[in-house]
Amino acid sequence: MKLIVTGGAGFIGSAVVRQAVRAGHEVVNLDALTYAACLDNVAEVADAPNYTFVEADIRDRAAMDRLFAAHAPDAIMHLAAESHVDRSIDGPGTFIDTNITGTYTLLEAARAWWVGAGRPEGFRFHHISTDEVFGSLGQTGQFTEVTPYDPRSPYSASKAASDHLVRAWHETYGLPVVLTNCSNNYGPYHFPEKLIPVIILNALAGKALPIYGDGSNIRDWLYVEDHADALLTVVQRGQVGRSYNIGGENERSNLELVKTLCAILDEKRPKASGSYADQITFVTDRPGHDARYAIDPTRIREELGWRPSVTVEQGLALTVDWYLANEPWWRALQDRKGVGERLGVKA
Ligand code: NAD
């Protein structure tokens, strides 16, 4: 396929780009290169003949029109977004601009190009979203594709709004869309402000391992390479107008997750004495911190035959290996604005 991937210099987008290029698809990576981007994430495919990089902002309509005209894609996979909940609490404006207005601009550019091209049936606008749009669960239950939306942070509210726009462009204008809502990702190239890299890097630096609140918040952890595989499955075989929930079938509390990471690090890079778990420190909770997310992945499993390939223990071991082997990558990002600071508590 000829694919445009937005946000392909970010964490998940770059995994999609790498897999898609390796699989022989023709890939155009469109990214504005914000603080969260790193072109090293796609260095392994940068010279491939089936790969092109375009630096542009999804809010720039003229640039998006040029992008569609130049590349006439079979599909666009839209991952570009502001993605860090803590940053959305301190500064919601860019989340509204990029996640809502940016998605609107991209939808309009896609629609104009699609109509102009004679409404090709095979075209897909694949919108990548999060399980956070569904709100917070109690101890039981799982999110399905028909769970009512109940976003509770500026980030999840902006993603929910973008999901609604994508559905509306399908219902109203007939744009052939597919949507996916996935759980928390982790893995190689995860930006060092998110929980798992923070824990690995602080552990290695002998710093405190910060756990928000009492660490009881539960997430369904999904290895990023599995997510990229699911996305490439959905963009090729997903039913038009439909959404698919993607989960890792790996629910863990934050405290359990951090203890598992410490045990892996104790084995792979033992400290002179004691365990990395000794560095665990409980800190002020995130305002409005959702208690639990859990995905019911029945639809994607039964309709498309997809399921995750690793358990969270296997995926975390692969992730720790990657961070141990790629110190220059994460050291370079630790100087970026806000990284290493506690964000999201000003409110
Ligand atoms: P990320 O922050 O690592 O990467 C986002 C990328 O988008 C960056 O490369 C950035 O430069 C680019 N970008 C931001 N604003 C842009 C703009 N205006 N124009 C063009 N490019 C822009 O994010 P991620 O973790 O890779 O998440 C990718 C997508 O997946 C997002 O839509 C996010 O909501 C969704 N998602 C993420 C997770 C997760 O656990 N990380 C879970 C569920 C859904």
Side-chain angles (χ1 to χ4, degrees), residues 304-322:
L304 305 179
W306 180 88
R307 64 183 316 160
S309 72
V310 293
T311 64
V312 74
E313 286 73 19
Q314 292 167 328
L316 288 176
L318 292 169
T319 305
V320 168
D321 285 342
W322 190 86

Side-chain angles (χ1 to χ4, degrees), residues 10-12 31-32 34 37 57-58 79 81 83 98 129 155 159 182 185:
F11 168 47
I12 302 171
D31 200 294
T34 70
D57 194 307
I58 56 166
L79 295 99
S83 70
T98 284
S129 191
Y155 164 68
K159 291 298 292 188
C182 77
N185 282 223

Side-chain angles (χ1 to χ4, degrees), residues 137-220:
L137 291 165
Q139 284 305 307
T140 57
Q142 290 183 314
F143 300 132
T144 72
E145 289 79 2
V146 296
T147 300
Y149 275 35
D150 183 23
R152 294 152 40 98
S153 73
Y155 164 68
S156 56
S158 68
K159 291 298 292 188
S162 66
D163 293 13
H164 292 321
L165 291 175
V166 172
R167 282 204 180 81
W169 260 241
H170 173 62
E171 296 297 334
T172 306
Y173 304 112
L175 191 70
V177 308
V178 281
L179 298 92
T180 46
N181 294 81
C182 77
S183 54
N184 283 49
N185 282 223
Y186 67 96
Y189 301 101
H190 205 180
F191 194 75
E193 66 181 350
K194 302 280 174 84
L195 176 64
I196 288 176
V198 164
I199 296 301
I200 297 172
L201 303 184
N202 281 17
L204 295 174
K207 294 184 185 165
L209 309 184
I211 309 260
Y212 291 2
D214 63 3
S216 62
N217 307 69
I218 292 172
R219 303 288 181 262
D220 177 359

